[in-house]
Amino acid sequence: MMSSEELHKRRGAAVARGVGSVINSYVDHASGGTVTDVEGREWIDFAAGIAVTNVGNSAPRVVEAVRAQVERFTHTCFMVAPYESYVAVCERLNALTPGGFEKRSALFNSGAEAVENAVKIARHATGRPAVVVFDHAYHGRTNLTMALTAKNMPYKHRFGPFAGEVYRVPMSYPLRDGGLSGAEAAARAVETVEKQVGAENVAALLIEPIQGEGGFVVPAPGFLPALREWATAADVVFIADEIQTGFCRTGDWFACDHERVEPDLVALAKGIAGGLPLAAVTGRAELMDAVHAGGLGGTYGGNPIACAAALASIETMHELDLVAAARRIESVLVPRLRAIAERSGGRVAEVRGRGAMLAVELVQPGTVTPDPVGTAAVSAACHSAGLLTLTCGTYGNVLRFLPPLVISDDELERGLDILAAAFD
Ligand SMILES: *Cc1c(COP(=O)(O)O)cnc(C)c1O
């Protein structure tokens, strides 16, 4: 087999530079908690392919379901000749997502596509143009979702002009907003909308219940419920982007469950199908069904192989109780992250997150000035010692931890040992 070095050379001559990678080693295989490269070097996986392989890589039920589906048929296009698994995935999503009301779902390929479609549905159903989004938000890389995303580098830089009628308001970010309560931060956001946009012009308020790329920002308690209440009163569609937080990741099926917030529409992707590309919009039947037949879709949306994988993944989440697994991961990680923070000489300002979506934010000691250089250094030390971690944050100063939910305690501890040594 070719070495990683040789593959990297080939890549340089064949793959566009704009597509980056966290490590320069090339994968041979991966499991429930590790990734192994072509040289046989192993990494403890604290990335899960960006919160995708919640059920682990090549989870047995997923492999079996995919194999069986590939042999039956690979693609007919649901818009041409429909099949049961698409309907079954929609049934599962309607039942699992927050809210006891009547729901419908539609399936797509990527998270960005799900967000775009949620916005299309909200605009169509309300007849209003504006979309409200938050500081530090990340919603994807297509034209509309770049407009919805906050951070310029690397996501938006020189890729404009962007879609219009997108308005950004302040987020609840307890470390950096002077410790506003959830209600106070929501009032600040709502005032911005009412003064600068006008509630009657707003189709949708779009929010990640815990922000992902933006820095694993957990809003103060009460922030999401207050926004939900305002949206209801203003007839604004409340869209939760649960693309990174969904499917047991945060110790609930969905992060909105934590404060019993019921979004009108939910955008889903990442953890949905054990690594196969699938995304969905699920929400109130009257909103979803407002769109004329043929108004939603796409050639590959709800591909039968991806649907088979999603059904098997969801079964695995139930069978292995991955909600409990995410909480167990939190109970193993948080005490050790706190110990790392205490020994860091003030370089870790905060340990935060929920379930298996955890992060540490790095600062200059004694301040809240971001330390992206230190963050990159710790990250690089982890990578060379065999731990796959990711960074995030508007300031590039957050280390985030997203292990597969089936990772073993032994692998978690080994990963934490590497992390602790990297900090030292
Ligand atoms: C990853 C992500 C997206 C975009 O999903 P893609 O599948 O990469 O298009 C949107 N929103 C959030 C919160 C994400 O984490």
Side-chain angles (χ1 to χ4, degrees), residues 50-52 109-115 137-142 145 149 207-213 241-245 267-270 278-279 357 400:
I50 321 187
V52 169
N109 304 296
S110 68
E113 217 189 333
V115 170
Y138 180 86
H139 298 292
R141 294 174 182 268
T142 57
T145 59
T149 290
I207 189 162
E208 300 154 87
I210 297 177
Q211 290 183 322
E213 303 295 312
D241 179 344
E242 290 253 17
I243 289 166
Q244 193 156 157
T245 49
L268 302 167
K270 294 203 164 99
L278 187 71
M357 184 171 183
R400 57 171 153 170

PDB file of all heavy atoms in Angstrom, residues 50-52 109-115 137-142 145 149 207-213 241-245 267-270 278-279 357 400, ligand 1:
ATOM      1  N   ILE A  50     -16.411  14.916  12.618  1.00  0.00           N
ATOM      2  CA  ILE A  50     -17.236  16.085  12.985  1.00  0.00           C
ATOM      3  C   ILE A  50     -18.646  15.647  13.413  1.00  0.00           C
ATOM      4  O   ILE A  50     -19.656  16.018  12.788  1.00  0.00           O
ATOM      5  CB  ILE A  50     -17.293  17.176  11.889  1.00  0.00           C
ATOM      6  CG1 ILE A  50     -15.941  17.363  11.189  1.00  0.00           C
ATOM      7  CG2 ILE A  50     -17.753  18.495  12.516  1.00  0.00           C
ATOM      8  CD1 ILE A  50     -15.887  18.533  10.211  1.00  0.00           C
ATOM      9  N   ALA A  51     -18.707  14.879  14.476  1.00  0.00           N
ATOM     10  CA  ALA A  51     -19.995  14.523  15.105  1.00  0.00           C
ATOM     11  C   ALA A  51     -20.911  13.728  14.182  1.00  0.00           C
ATOM     12  O   ALA A  51     -22.133  13.861  14.245  1.00  0.00           O
ATOM     13  CB  ALA A  51     -20.719  15.779  15.621  1.00  0.00           C
ATOM     14  N   VAL A  52     -20.305  12.905  13.329  1.00  0.00           N
ATOM     15  CA  VAL A  52     -21.101  12.117  12.387  1.00  0.00           C
ATOM     16  C   VAL A  52     -21.239  10.659  12.840  1.00  0.00           C
ATOM     17  O   VAL A  52     -22.340  10.118  12.899  1.00  0.00           O
ATOM     18  CB  VAL A  52     -20.481  12.188  10.972  1.00  0.00           C
ATOM     19  CG1 VAL A  52     -21.118  11.166  10.045  1.00  0.00           C
ATOM     20  CG2 VAL A  52     -20.653  13.597  10.400  1.00  0.00           C
ATOM     21  N   ASN A 109     -29.333  15.853   1.250  1.00  0.00           N
ATOM     22  CA  ASN A 109     -28.012  15.214   1.272  1.00  0.00           C
ATOM     23  C   ASN A 109     -27.060  15.746   2.320  1.00  0.00           C
ATOM     24  O   ASN A 109     -26.251  15.015   2.848  1.00  0.00           O
ATOM     25  CB  ASN A 109     -27.327  15.393  -0.088  1.00  0.00           C
ATOM     26  CG  ASN A 109     -28.186  14.848  -1.198  1.00  0.00           C
ATOM     27  OD1 ASN A 109     -28.450  13.667  -1.247  1.00  0.00           O
ATOM     28  ND2 ASN A 109     -28.649  15.734  -2.059  1.00  0.00           N
ATOM     29  N   SER A 110     -27.118  17.037   2.584  1.00  0.00           N
ATOM     30  CA  SER A 110     -26.120  17.656   3.466  1.00  0.00           C
ATOM     31  C   SER A 110     -26.812  18.597   4.434  1.00  0.00           C
ATOM     32  O   SER A 110     -27.964  19.005   4.222  1.00  0.00           O
ATOM     33  CB  SER A 110     -25.111  18.455   2.643  1.00  0.00           C
ATOM     34  OG  SER A 110     -25.767  19.579   2.087  1.00  0.00           O
ATOM     35  N   GLY A 111     -26.065  18.952   5.479  1.00  0.00           N
ATOM     36  CA  GLY A 111     -26.612  19.868   6.463  1.00  0.00           C
ATOM     37  C   GLY A 111     -26.993  21.211   5.843  1.00  0.00           C
ATOM     38  O   GLY A 111     -28.067  21.764   6.118  1.00  0.00           O
ATOM     39  N   ALA A 112     -26.096  21.739   5.002  1.00  0.00           N
ATOM     40  CA  ALA A 112     -26.371  23.035   4.378  1.00  0.00           C
ATOM     41  C   ALA A 112     -27.675  22.985   3.588  1.00  0.00           C
ATOM     42  O   ALA A 112     -28.488  23.912   3.614  1.00  0.00           O
ATOM     43  CB  ALA A 112     -25.215  23.433   3.471  1.00  0.00           C
ATOM     44  N   GLU A 113     -27.874  21.872   2.903  1.00  0.00           N
ATOM     45  CA  GLU A 113     -29.086  21.725   2.098  1.00  0.00           C
ATOM     46  C   GLU A 113     -30.335  21.669   2.995  1.00  0.00           C
ATOM     47  O   GLU A 113     -31.387  22.201   2.638  1.00  0.00           O
ATOM     48  CB  GLU A 113     -28.968  20.437   1.272  1.00  0.00           C
ATOM     49  CG  GLU A 113     -29.551  20.535  -0.097  1.00  0.00           C
ATOM     50  CD  GLU A 113     -29.595  19.175  -0.781  1.00  0.00           C
ATOM     51  OE1 GLU A 113     -28.776  18.297  -0.469  1.00  0.00           O
ATOM     52  OE2 GLU A 113     -30.484  19.012  -1.627  1.00  0.00           O
ATOM     53  N   ALA A 114     -30.209  21.031   4.154  1.00  0.00           N
ATOM     54  CA  ALA A 114     -31.324  20.983   5.092  1.00  0.00           C
ATOM     55  C   ALA A 114     -31.656  22.387   5.594  1.00  0.00           C
ATOM     56  O   ALA A 114     -32.827  22.793   5.634  1.00  0.00           O
ATOM     57  CB  ALA A 114     -30.999  20.059   6.266  1.00  0.00           C
ATOM     58  N   VAL A 115     -30.620  23.157   5.934  1.00  0.00           N
ATOM     59  CA  VAL A 115     -30.853  24.521   6.420  1.00  0.00           C
ATOM     60  C   VAL A 115     -31.509  25.358   5.322  1.00  0.00           C
ATOM     61  O   VAL A 115     -32.486  26.084   5.570  1.00  0.00           O
ATOM     62  CB  VAL A 115     -29.524  25.171   6.889  1.00  0.00           C
ATOM     63  CG1 VAL A 115     -29.716  26.653   7.171  1.00  0.00           C
ATOM     64  CG2 VAL A 115     -28.987  24.461   8.130  1.00  0.00           C
ATOM     65  N   ALA A 137     -22.665  31.977  14.623  1.00  0.00           N
ATOM     66  CA  ALA A 137     -23.424  30.883  14.024  1.00  0.00           C
ATOM     67  C   ALA A 137     -22.649  30.218  12.894  1.00  0.00           C
ATOM     68  O   ALA A 137     -21.874  30.865  12.189  1.00  0.00           O
ATOM     69  CB  ALA A 137     -24.750  31.406  13.476  1.00  0.00           C
ATOM     70  N   TYR A 138     -22.875  28.919  12.718  1.00  0.00           N
ATOM     71  CA  TYR A 138     -22.392  28.206  11.538  1.00  0.00           C
ATOM     72  C   TYR A 138     -23.547  27.393  10.968  1.00  0.00           C
ATOM     73  O   TYR A 138     -24.147  26.589  11.689  1.00  0.00           O
ATOM     74  CB  TYR A 138     -21.227  27.263  11.865  1.00  0.00           C
ATOM     75  CG  TYR A 138     -20.747  26.551  10.624  1.00  0.00           C
ATOM     76  CD1 TYR A 138     -19.813  27.135   9.777  1.00  0.00           C
ATOM     77  CD2 TYR A 138     -21.266  25.312  10.262  1.00  0.00           C
ATOM     78  CE1 TYR A 138     -19.396  26.497   8.606  1.00  0.00           C
ATOM     79  CE2 TYR A 138     -20.866  24.668   9.099  1.00  0.00           C
ATOM     80  CZ  TYR A 138     -19.932  25.272   8.276  1.00  0.00           C
ATOM     81  OH  TYR A 138     -19.530  24.649   7.123  1.00  0.00           O
ATOM     82  N   HIS A 139     -23.855  27.603   9.690  1.00  0.00           N
ATOM     83  CA  HIS A 139     -24.957  26.862   9.080  1.00  0.00           C
ATOM     84  C   HIS A 139     -24.585  26.225   7.751  1.00  0.00           C
ATOM     85  O   HIS A 139     -25.443  25.626   7.110  1.00  0.00           O
ATOM     86  CB  HIS A 139     -26.182  27.766   8.929  1.00  0.00           C
ATOM     87  CG  HIS A 139     -26.713  28.273  10.240  1.00  0.00           C
ATOM     88  ND1 HIS A 139     -27.294  27.443  11.166  1.00  0.00           N
ATOM     89  CD2 HIS A 139     -26.729  29.514  10.786  1.00  0.00           C
ATOM     90  CE1 HIS A 139     -27.668  28.148  12.234  1.00  0.00           C
ATOM     91  NE2 HIS A 139     -27.329  29.410  12.032  1.00  0.00           N
ATOM     92  N   GLY A 140     -23.332  26.380   7.290  1.00  0.00           N
ATOM     93  CA  GLY A 140     -22.923  25.698   6.065  1.00  0.00           C
ATOM     94  C   GLY A 140     -22.144  26.576   5.113  1.00  0.00           C
ATOM     95  O   GLY A 140     -21.794  27.714   5.442  1.00  0.00           O
ATOM     96  N   ARG A 141     -21.874  26.024   3.919  1.00  0.00           N
ATOM     97  CA  ARG A 141     -20.956  26.655   2.971  1.00  0.00           C
ATOM     98  C   ARG A 141     -21.585  26.964   1.608  1.00  0.00           C
ATOM     99  O   ARG A 141     -20.876  27.354   0.685  1.00  0.00           O
ATOM    100  CB  ARG A 141     -19.759  25.734   2.737  1.00  0.00           C
ATOM    101  CG  ARG A 141     -18.861  25.508   3.948  1.00  0.00           C
ATOM    102  CD  ARG A 141     -17.828  24.463   3.580  1.00  0.00           C
ATOM    103  NE  ARG A 141     -16.915  24.099   4.650  1.00  0.00           N
ATOM    104  CZ  ARG A 141     -15.736  24.690   4.866  1.00  0.00           C
ATOM    105  NH1 ARG A 141     -15.334  25.685   4.106  1.00  0.00           N
ATOM    106  NH2 ARG A 141     -14.957  24.283   5.832  1.00  0.00           N
ATOM    107  N   THR A 142     -22.881  26.734   1.448  1.00  0.00           N
ATOM    108  CA  THR A 142     -23.522  27.117   0.181  1.00  0.00           C
ATOM    109  C   THR A 142     -23.829  28.613   0.236  1.00  0.00           C
ATOM    110  O   THR A 142     -23.601  29.262   1.259  1.00  0.00           O
ATOM    111  CB  THR A 142     -24.828  26.335  -0.007  1.00  0.00           C
ATOM    112  OG1 THR A 142     -25.674  26.589   1.125  1.00  0.00           O
ATOM    113  CG2 THR A 142     -24.565  24.837  -0.122  1.00  0.00           C
ATOM    114  N   THR A 145     -26.302  29.589   3.012  1.00  0.00           N
ATOM    115  CA  THR A 145     -25.801  29.245   4.353  1.00  0.00           C
ATOM    116  C   THR A 145     -24.503  29.981   4.693  1.00  0.00           C
ATOM    117  O   THR A 145     -24.220  30.195   5.869  1.00  0.00           O
ATOM    118  CB  THR A 145     -25.658  27.716   4.545  1.00  0.00           C
ATOM    119  OG1 THR A 145     -24.768  27.187   3.567  1.00  0.00           O
ATOM    120  CG2 THR A 145     -26.995  27.020   4.443  1.00  0.00           C
ATOM    121  N   THR A 149     -23.970  32.053   8.081  1.00  0.00           N
ATOM    122  CA  THR A 149     -22.795  31.767   8.918  1.00  0.00           C
ATOM    123  C   THR A 149     -22.109  33.075   9.289  1.00  0.00           C
ATOM    124  O   THR A 149     -22.052  34.012   8.485  1.00  0.00           O
ATOM    125  CB  THR A 149     -21.844  30.831   8.130  1.00  0.00           C
ATOM    126  OG1 THR A 149     -22.467  29.550   8.038  1.00  0.00           O
ATOM    127  CG2 THR A 149     -20.481  30.713   8.778  1.00  0.00           C
ATOM    128  N   ILE A 207     -31.393  28.989  14.863  1.00  0.00           N
ATOM    129  CA  ILE A 207     -30.374  28.938  15.919  1.00  0.00           C
ATOM    130  C   ILE A 207     -29.885  27.515  16.170  1.00  0.00           C
ATOM    131  O   ILE A 207     -30.666  26.561  16.078  1.00  0.00           O
ATOM    132  CB  ILE A 207     -30.910  29.578  17.231  1.00  0.00           C
ATOM    133  CG1 ILE A 207     -29.783  29.727  18.256  1.00  0.00           C
ATOM    134  CG2 ILE A 207     -32.097  28.793  17.795  1.00  0.00           C
ATOM    135  CD1 ILE A 207     -30.093  30.713  19.364  1.00  0.00           C
ATOM    136  N   GLU A 208     -28.584  27.396  16.459  1.00  0.00           N
ATOM    137  CA  GLU A 208     -28.022  26.134  16.957  1.00  0.00           C
ATOM    138  C   GLU A 208     -28.220  26.147  18.480  1.00  0.00           C
ATOM    139  O   GLU A 208     -27.721  27.057  19.141  1.00  0.00           O
ATOM    140  CB  GLU A 208     -26.519  26.068  16.668  1.00  0.00           C
ATOM    141  CG  GLU A 208     -26.113  26.133  15.216  1.00  0.00           C
ATOM    142  CD  GLU A 208     -24.688  26.681  15.061  1.00  0.00           C
ATOM    143  OE1 GLU A 208     -23.730  25.905  15.123  1.00  0.00           O
ATOM    144  OE2 GLU A 208     -24.552  27.913  14.890  1.00  0.00           O
ATOM    145  N   PRO A 209     -28.888  25.149  19.040  1.00  0.00           N
ATOM    146  CA  PRO A 209     -29.131  25.166  20.488  1.00  0.00           C
ATOM    147  C   PRO A 209     -27.841  25.131  21.314  1.00  0.00           C
ATOM    148  O   PRO A 209     -27.801  25.694  22.409  1.00  0.00           O
ATOM    149  CB  PRO A 209     -29.993  23.935  20.742  1.00  0.00           C
ATOM    150  CG  PRO A 209     -29.979  23.141  19.496  1.00  0.00           C
ATOM    151  CD  PRO A 209     -29.581  24.035  18.367  1.00  0.00           C
ATOM    152  N   ILE A 210     -26.811  24.457  20.813  1.00  0.00           N
ATOM    153  CA  ILE A 210     -25.435  24.670  21.278  1.00  0.00           C
ATOM    154  C   ILE A 210     -24.646  24.920  19.998  1.00  0.00           C
ATOM    155  O   ILE A 210     -24.719  24.124  19.062  1.00  0.00           O
ATOM    156  CB  ILE A 210     -24.858  23.446  22.025  1.00  0.00           C
ATOM    157  CG1 ILE A 210     -25.656  23.160  23.301  1.00  0.00           C
ATOM    158  CG2 ILE A 210     -23.376  23.681  22.361  1.00  0.00           C
ATOM    159  CD1 ILE A 210     -25.185  21.916  24.074  1.00  0.00           C
ATOM    160  N   GLN A 211     -23.934  26.053  19.932  1.00  0.00           N
ATOM    161  CA  GLN A 211     -23.234  26.363  18.688  1.00  0.00           C
ATOM    162  C   GLN A 211     -22.064  25.419  18.468  1.00  0.00           C
ATOM    163  O   GLN A 211     -21.348  25.073  19.410  1.00  0.00           O
ATOM    164  CB  GLN A 211     -22.772  27.819  18.692  1.00  0.00           C
ATOM    165  CG  GLN A 211     -23.943  28.788  18.578  1.00  0.00           C
ATOM    166  CD  GLN A 211     -23.506  30.228  18.513  1.00  0.00           C
ATOM    167  OE1 GLN A 211     -22.561  30.616  19.193  1.00  0.00           O
ATOM    168  NE2 GLN A 211     -24.196  31.019  17.701  1.00  0.00           N
ATOM    169  N   GLY A 212     -21.867  25.020  17.214  1.00  0.00           N
ATOM    170  CA  GLY A 212     -20.806  24.074  16.860  1.00  0.00           C
ATOM    171  C   GLY A 212     -19.522  24.782  16.480  1.00  0.00           C
ATOM    172  O   GLY A 212     -18.717  25.132  17.342  1.00  0.00           O
ATOM    173  N   GLU A 213     -19.317  25.023  15.163  1.00  0.00           N
ATOM    174  CA  GLU A 213     -18.081  25.664  14.685  1.00  0.00           C
ATOM    175  C   GLU A 213     -17.782  26.960  15.426  1.00  0.00           C
ATOM    176  O   GLU A 213     -16.628  27.334  15.590  1.00  0.00           O
ATOM    177  CB  GLU A 213     -18.195  25.998  13.190  1.00  0.00           C
ATOM    178  CG  GLU A 213     -18.496  24.844  12.274  1.00  0.00           C
ATOM    179  CD  GLU A 213     -17.401  23.820  12.234  1.00  0.00           C
ATOM    180  OE1 GLU A 213     -16.237  24.194  12.081  1.00  0.00           O
ATOM    181  OE2 GLU A 213     -17.723  22.633  12.385  1.00  0.00           O
ATOM    182  N   ASP A 241     -31.191  24.427  14.317  1.00  0.00           N
ATOM    183  CA  ASP A 241     -30.167  23.706  13.558  1.00  0.00           C
ATOM    184  C   ASP A 241     -29.531  22.709  14.521  1.00  0.00           C
ATOM    185  O   ASP A 241     -28.656  23.064  15.314  1.00  0.00           O
ATOM    186  CB  ASP A 241     -29.140  24.690  12.987  1.00  0.00           C
ATOM    187  CG  ASP A 241     -28.034  23.976  12.196  1.00  0.00           C
ATOM    188  OD1 ASP A 241     -27.894  22.746  12.345  1.00  0.00           O
ATOM    189  OD2 ASP A 241     -27.309  24.667  11.448  1.00  0.00           O
ATOM    190  N   GLU A 242     -30.027  21.474  14.466  1.00  0.00           N
ATOM    191  CA  GLU A 242     -29.515  20.399  15.349  1.00  0.00           C
ATOM    192  C   GLU A 242     -28.568  19.484  14.574  1.00  0.00           C
ATOM    193  O   GLU A 242     -28.410  18.308  14.902  1.00  0.00           O
ATOM    194  CB  GLU A 242     -30.692  19.594  15.928  1.00  0.00           C
ATOM    195  CG  GLU A 242     -31.523  20.370  16.939  1.00  0.00           C
ATOM    196  CD  GLU A 242     -31.313  19.915  18.389  1.00  0.00           C
ATOM    197  OE1 GLU A 242     -30.286  19.230  18.663  1.00  0.00           O
ATOM    198  OE2 GLU A 242     -32.164  20.244  19.224  1.00  0.00           O
ATOM    199  N   ILE A 243     -27.932  20.045  13.546  1.00  0.00           N
ATOM    200  CA  ILE A 243     -27.090  19.220  12.679  1.00  0.00           C
ATOM    201  C   ILE A 243     -25.906  18.631  13.449  1.00  0.00           C
ATOM    202  O   ILE A 243     -25.569  17.470  13.273  1.00  0.00           O
ATOM    203  CB  ILE A 243     -26.651  20.048  11.447  1.00  0.00           C
ATOM    204  CG1 ILE A 243     -27.869  20.255  10.542  1.00  0.00           C
ATOM    205  CG2 ILE A 243     -25.503  19.374  10.704  1.00  0.00           C
ATOM    206  CD1 ILE A 243     -27.696  21.318   9.474  1.00  0.00           C
ATOM    207  N   GLN A 244     -25.284  19.437  14.333  1.00  0.00           N
ATOM    208  CA  GLN A 244     -24.148  18.916  15.108  1.00  0.00           C
ATOM    209  C   GLN A 244     -24.593  18.355  16.459  1.00  0.00           C
ATOM    210  O   GLN A 244     -23.967  17.451  17.005  1.00  0.00           O
ATOM    211  CB  GLN A 244     -23.091  20.019  15.301  1.00  0.00           C
ATOM    212  CG  GLN A 244     -21.775  19.488  15.816  1.00  0.00           C
ATOM    213  CD  GLN A 244     -20.568  20.361  15.498  1.00  0.00           C
ATOM    214  OE1 GLN A 244     -19.568  20.293  16.183  1.00  0.00           O
ATOM    215  NE2 GLN A 244     -20.628  21.194  14.467  1.00  0.00           N
ATOM    216  N   THR A 245     -25.674  18.901  17.006  1.00  0.00           N
ATOM    217  CA  THR A 245     -26.107  18.542  18.367  1.00  0.00           C
ATOM    218  C   THR A 245     -27.013  17.310  18.402  1.00  0.00           C
ATOM    219  O   THR A 245     -27.256  16.775  19.489  1.00  0.00           O
ATOM    220  CB  THR A 245     -26.871  19.724  18.997  1.00  0.00           C
ATOM    221  OG1 THR A 245     -27.863  20.169  18.057  1.00  0.00           O
ATOM    222  CG2 THR A 245     -25.957  20.880  19.334  1.00  0.00           C
ATOM    223  N   ALA A 267     -33.463  21.216  11.527  1.00  0.00           N
ATOM    224  CA  ALA A 267     -32.551  20.773  10.462  1.00  0.00           C
ATOM    225  C   ALA A 267     -31.641  19.701  11.048  1.00  0.00           C
ATOM    226  O   ALA A 267     -31.059  19.889  12.119  1.00  0.00           O
ATOM    227  CB  ALA A 267     -31.719  21.949   9.946  1.00  0.00           C
ATOM    228  N   LEU A 268     -31.539  18.585  10.326  1.00  0.00           N
ATOM    229  CA  LEU A 268     -30.800  17.415  10.822  1.00  0.00           C
ATOM    230  C   LEU A 268     -29.824  16.947   9.758  1.00  0.00           C
ATOM    231  O   LEU A 268     -30.107  17.043   8.563  1.00  0.00           O
ATOM    232  CB  LEU A 268     -31.788  16.280  11.126  1.00  0.00           C
ATOM    233  CG  LEU A 268     -32.880  16.607  12.136  1.00  0.00           C
ATOM    234  CD1 LEU A 268     -33.968  15.539  12.107  1.00  0.00           C
ATOM    235  CD2 LEU A 268     -32.296  16.730  13.524  1.00  0.00           C
ATOM    236  N   ALA A 269     -28.690  16.411  10.180  1.00  0.00           N
ATOM    237  CA  ALA A 269     -27.746  15.783   9.238  1.00  0.00           C
ATOM    238  C   ALA A 269     -26.725  15.004  10.072  1.00  0.00           C
ATOM    239  O   ALA A 269     -27.112  14.205  10.902  1.00  0.00           O
ATOM    240  CB  ALA A 269     -27.080  16.827   8.342  1.00  0.00           C
ATOM    241  N   LYS A 270     -25.446  15.280   9.859  1.00  0.00           N
ATOM    242  CA  LYS A 270     -24.317  14.647  10.566  1.00  0.00           C
ATOM    243  C   LYS A 270     -24.590  13.273  11.197  1.00  0.00           C
ATOM    244  O   LYS A 270     -24.364  12.269  10.557  1.00  0.00           O
ATOM    245  CB  LYS A 270     -23.744  15.641  11.594  1.00  0.00           C
ATOM    246  CG  LYS A 270     -23.099  16.847  10.895  1.00  0.00           C
ATOM    247  CD  LYS A 270     -22.064  17.548  11.733  1.00  0.00           C
ATOM    248  CE  LYS A 270     -21.196  18.448  10.881  1.00  0.00           C
ATOM    249  NZ  LYS A 270     -21.580  19.860  10.903  1.00  0.00           N
ATOM    250  N   LEU A 278     -26.805  11.989   4.537  1.00  0.00           N
ATOM    251  CA  LEU A 278     -28.254  12.150   4.607  1.00  0.00           C
ATOM    252  C   LEU A 278     -28.538  13.372   5.466  1.00  0.00           C
ATOM    253  O   LEU A 278     -27.788  13.672   6.400  1.00  0.00           O
ATOM    254  CB  LEU A 278     -28.916  10.905   5.232  1.00  0.00           C
ATOM    255  CG  LEU A 278     -30.450  10.898   5.211  1.00  0.00           C
ATOM    256  CD1 LEU A 278     -30.967  10.692   3.793  1.00  0.00           C
ATOM    257  CD2 LEU A 278     -31.013   9.812   6.127  1.00  0.00           C
ATOM    258  N   ALA A 279     -29.609  14.086   5.147  1.00  0.00           N
ATOM    259  CA  ALA A 279     -30.027  15.243   5.939  1.00  0.00           C
ATOM    260  C   ALA A 279     -31.536  15.308   5.881  1.00  0.00           C
ATOM    261  O   ALA A 279     -32.166  14.648   5.045  1.00  0.00           O
ATOM    262  CB  ALA A 279     -29.407  16.526   5.382  1.00  0.00           C
ATOM    263  N   MET A 357     -20.426  16.470  23.704  1.00  0.00           N
ATOM    264  CA  MET A 357     -20.120  17.670  22.919  1.00  0.00           C
ATOM    265  C   MET A 357     -19.490  18.661  23.885  1.00  0.00           C
ATOM    266  O   MET A 357     -20.174  19.530  24.458  1.00  0.00           O
ATOM    267  CB  MET A 357     -21.410  18.238  22.308  1.00  0.00           C
ATOM    268  CG  MET A 357     -21.196  19.430  21.400  1.00  0.00           C
ATOM    269  SD  MET A 357     -22.718  19.877  20.518  1.00  0.00           S
ATOM    270  CE  MET A 357     -22.096  21.229  19.506  1.00  0.00           C
ATOM    271  N   ARG A 400     -12.356  21.239  20.784  1.00  0.00           N
ATOM    272  CA  ARG A 400     -13.639  20.561  20.997  1.00  0.00           C
ATOM    273  C   ARG A 400     -13.461  19.046  20.949  1.00  0.00           C
ATOM    274  O   ARG A 400     -12.610  18.535  20.228  1.00  0.00           O
ATOM    275  CB  ARG A 400     -14.663  21.012  19.967  1.00  0.00           C
ATOM    276  CG  ARG A 400     -14.237  20.807  18.546  1.00  0.00           C
ATOM    277  CD  ARG A 400     -15.397  21.079  17.607  1.00  0.00           C
ATOM    278  NE  ARG A 400     -14.937  21.513  16.298  1.00  0.00           N
ATOM    279  CZ  ARG A 400     -15.725  21.622  15.242  1.00  0.00           C
ATOM    280  NH1 ARG A 400     -17.007  21.336  15.338  1.00  0.00           N
ATOM    281  NH2 ARG A 400     -15.254  22.024  14.084  1.00  0.00           N
TER     282      ARG A 400
HETATM  283  C1  LIG B   1     -21.884  20.870   9.804  1.00  0.00           C
HETATM  284  C2  LIG B   1     -22.975  21.807  10.078  1.00  0.00           C
HETATM  285  C3  LIG B   1     -23.769  22.322   9.047  1.00  0.00           C
HETATM  286  C4  LIG B   1     -23.507  22.016   7.583  1.00  0.00           C
HETATM  287  O1  LIG B   1     -23.605  20.661   7.320  1.00  0.00           O
HETATM  288  P1  LIG B   1     -22.935  20.069   5.966  1.00  0.00           P
HETATM  289  O2  LIG B   1     -23.400  18.646   5.945  1.00  0.00           O
HETATM  290  O3  LIG B   1     -21.463  20.209   6.140  1.00  0.00           O
HETATM  291  O4  LIG B   1     -23.461  20.872   4.853  1.00  0.00           O
HETATM  292  C5  LIG B   1     -24.798  23.178   9.380  1.00  0.00           C
HETATM  293  N1  LIG B   1     -25.049  23.493  10.655  1.00  0.00           N
HETATM  294  C6  LIG B   1     -24.315  23.007  11.679  1.00  0.00           C
HETATM  295  C7  LIG B   1     -24.653  23.379  13.078  1.00  0.00           C
HETATM  296  C8  LIG B   1     -23.246  22.160  11.423  1.00  0.00           C
HETATM  297  O5  LIG B   1     -22.495  21.699  12.430  1.00  0.00           O
END
